[in-house]
Amino acid sequence: MKILITLIEAFILASLSQRRTNMLKEENRKDRFFFFLTFLIIVMFVGLRTRYNDTWVYIGNYRDSAIASTLSEFYKRHYSLADEWGFRLVSSFFKSIGFDEHLYIMAFSVFSTGVTLWYLRDNASNNFGDSVYLLFVTGTMSFELAALKQVTATMIAFIATNEALKGKWFKYSLLLFVAFTFHPFVLVFLVVPFVINKKPWEIDTILLIGILFVLGIGMRFIAPLLVRFAENYTVEGILSSTVNPFRFLVSIVPVVVSFVYKDILYEDSSNKENLVAHLSICCSMFMFWTLFADPSTVGRLASYFDLAACSSLAWMIKKIYDKTGNQGLVLRIAMYAFYFAFFVYGNFYNKHFDQMYGAITIQEFFLSVRKFVSGA
């Protein structure tokens, strides 16, 4: 029930944050109080964890010699770009200053949660509450509870897209390179220059979907390339299993809404809204690839754009409601019901979240803080 309780608390606080931001609109200010409380609820949920998915692997590697204990030791190991040396460098820094595994996980969680909520509020077009709801019910939060390297790379890449929207391409390139040193799959964000400042469902969108569709059905030819970047995988392993088609149908909802209501959504859409819509299309198309390949490998490509899909669907629902009234209300209710059913199925029936998730208490965390401060 932990994830359900966190969902309810975060959704209520995010909705209050959006409501207060609306009240402060004339003063050109945004709410900070409820936004911080939303951040606090989520970061405790994410940062106090000791067990979920591969969290135990990161904790184990941090404890043993897989992570250099000093920066000088790090430099002696001569890591190559393929060794995700950015992640190793940051991990070694934390280890050198005396962070234990709890402070280590929390440090990464503070960064990822902060960027997640900043991105959702900045890109959901005044629908922060729904975007936080979607963060949980679409399964995006499950990704943020797991892959430390990929999540950090993703957050840096989303910061990079913000620079791209400002036309600051050098900063975009630099940040994307930094993200690459955490995990190479982040290079999927190279799609940004090709879709930025372009409205969805014009020729560029059709070409994007067409290319990703062809690559998906030709996965047997793409698999050898993916093996170069995916640790401990073989071509046979990538092609041996596929995702449940229902999972793909869930991921394609934002694309269907975007297409059906394109005349309403994009007649006066901003460049920011256009970009997140294109990135949500990328998310669905990479999930399409999992119909032909191993979801734990290829599905990671879709996970990089999950956050964009959450913000995209949130602003689309809000805009459709503002322009159509009851039709938009029905669509919003349907979205809430559909995704909540998917959330319940994924966390209470298909898998039992409480059996997979473990966390320390706040008191235990502050004990780690006290030990660090005292140098014990």
Side-chain angles (χ1 to χ4, degrees):
M1 295 296 288
K2 177 65 176 176
I3 192 171
L4 178 59
I5 294 171
T6 306
L7 161 62
I8 294 171
E9 292 173 339
F11 171 62
I12 291 173
L13 289 169
S15 299
L16 289 172
S17 177
Q18 183 60 65
R19 184 175 181 180
R20 190 162 185 269
T21 293
N22 293 340
M23 294 170 61
L24 296 170
K25 193 173 183 179
E26 293 183 0
E27 301 176 28
N28 197 28
R29 294 193 296 132
K30 292 183 178 180
D31 165 70
R32 293 182 181 179
F33 178 72
F34 290 111
F35 181 85
F36 175 73
L37 291 181
T38 307
F39 166 80
L40 200 60
I41 288 295
I42 296 178
V43 83
M44 286 194 297
F45 176 63
V46 178
L48 295 179
R49 76 185 189 276
T50 56
R51 179 170 50 87
Y52 185 80
N53 199 295
D54 59 357
T55 298
W56 66 274
V57 175
Y58 285 101
I59 290 176
N61 288 340
Y62 186 72
R63 284 173 174 168
D64 62 30
S65 58
I67 299 296
S69 58
T70 64
L71 292 181
S72 59
E73 181 186 345
F74 168 83
Y75 289 119
K76 289 178 182 178
R77 295 192 180 188
H78 301 294
Y79 292 114
S80 67
L81 282 176
D83 290 324
E84 297 157 345
W85 61 266
F87 172 76
R88 296 177 186 273
L89 175 62
V90 173
S91 298
S92 294
F93 170 74
F94 288 145
K95 201 167 185 179
S96 69
I97 63 175
F99 274 19
D100 66 8
E101 64 270 22
H102 303 309
L103 295 177
Y104 173 67
I105 295 294
M106 179 59 77
F108 277 103
S109 300
V110 166
F111 174 72
S112 63
T113 303
V115 176
T116 293
L117 295 181
W118 159 77
Y119 185 83
L120 290 178
R121 183 163 77 166
D122 199 50
N123 290 273
S125 296
N126 299 319
N127 199 8
F128 184 47
D130 281 4
S131 68
V132 169
Y133 175 78
L134 289 166
L135 177 69
F136 283 85
V137 297
T138 60
T140 304
M141 180 53 68
S142 297
F143 172 62
E144 298 201 14
L145 283 169
L148 215 60
K149 292 180 291 189
Q150 294 93 320
V151 170
T152 305
T154 301
M155 298 310 152
I156 298 171
F158 275 121
I159 296 173
T161 64
N162 192 57
E163 297 301 322
L165 282 166
K166 299 175 184 176
K168 298 180 179 179
W169 291 104
F170 176 76
K171 283 188 176 181
Y172 162 81
S173 302
L174 182 61
L175 285 166
L176 197 59
F177 172 75
V178 173
F180 172 77
T181 68
F182 280 77
H183 200 275
F185 278 12
V186 79
L187 289 182
V188 291
F189 275 86
L190 286 173
V191 72
V192 169
F194 299 98
V195 296
I196 199 167
N197 300 333
K198 295 176 181 177
K199 289 188 179 294
W201 303 111
E202 295 182 350
I203 185 64
D204 302 283
T205 307
I206 305 304
L207 284 173
L208 175 67
I209 293 174
I211 291 171
L212 293 178
F213 177 82
V214 171
L215 291 175
I217 61 177
M219 184 52 62
R220 65 178 59 188
F221 304 106
I222 304 300
L225 179 62
L226 293 177
V227 166
R228 296 187 179 185
F229 294 102
E231 300 174 359
N232 303 319
Y233 281 92
T234 62
V235 173
E236 294 75 16
I238 288 178
L239 300 176
S240 64
S241 61
T242 58
V243 78
N244 185 328
F246 178 67
R247 181 66 184 89
F248 166 68
L249 293 177
V250 170
S251 74
I252 207 171
V253 170
V255 180
V256 173
V257 173
S258 174
F259 178 76
V260 172
Y261 292 94
K262 61 182 183 295
D263 293 335
I264 293 175
L265 293 170
Y266 303 113
E267 62 178 355
D268 56 354
S269 56
S270 66
N271 288 332
K272 188 179 294 184
E273 291 170 337
N274 295 338
L275 179 59
V276 294
H278 272 118
L279 296 183
S280 70
I281 291 172
C282 290
C283 179
S284 298
M285 292 309 300
F286 282 127
M287 187 56 68
F288 169 74
W289 285 17
T290 64
L291 296 175
F292 307 94
D294 176 50
S296 63
T297 306
V298 179
R300 292 182 180 183
L301 299 175
S303 297
Y304 277 106
F305 298 118
D306 277 344
L307 201 57
C310 292
S311 59
S312 179
L313 186 56
W315 81 257
M316 287 191 290
I317 293 293
K318 175 72 164 54
K319 197 166 192 177
I320 294 168
Y321 174 74
D322 290 343
K323 293 194 173 187
T324 65
N326 290 337
Q327 187 177 354
L329 179 61
V330 171
L331 186 64
R332 187 184 186 196
I333 293 172
M335 177 203 75
Y336 268 75
F338 173 75
Y339 277 112
F340 188 74
F342 175 70
F343 169 79
V344 170
Y345 171 77
N347 290 285
F348 299 101
Y349 288 96
N350 185 41
K351 297 177 181 178
H352 293 280
F353 180 86
D354 287 345
Q355 295 178 6
M356 301 169 62
Y357 175 87
I360 59 173
T361 64
I362 296 176
Q363 290 81 0
E364 289 173 318
F365 174 74
F366 279 114
L367 182 60
S368 290
V369 174
R370 182 183 297 177
K371 287 181 179 178
F372 169 70
V373 173
S374 65

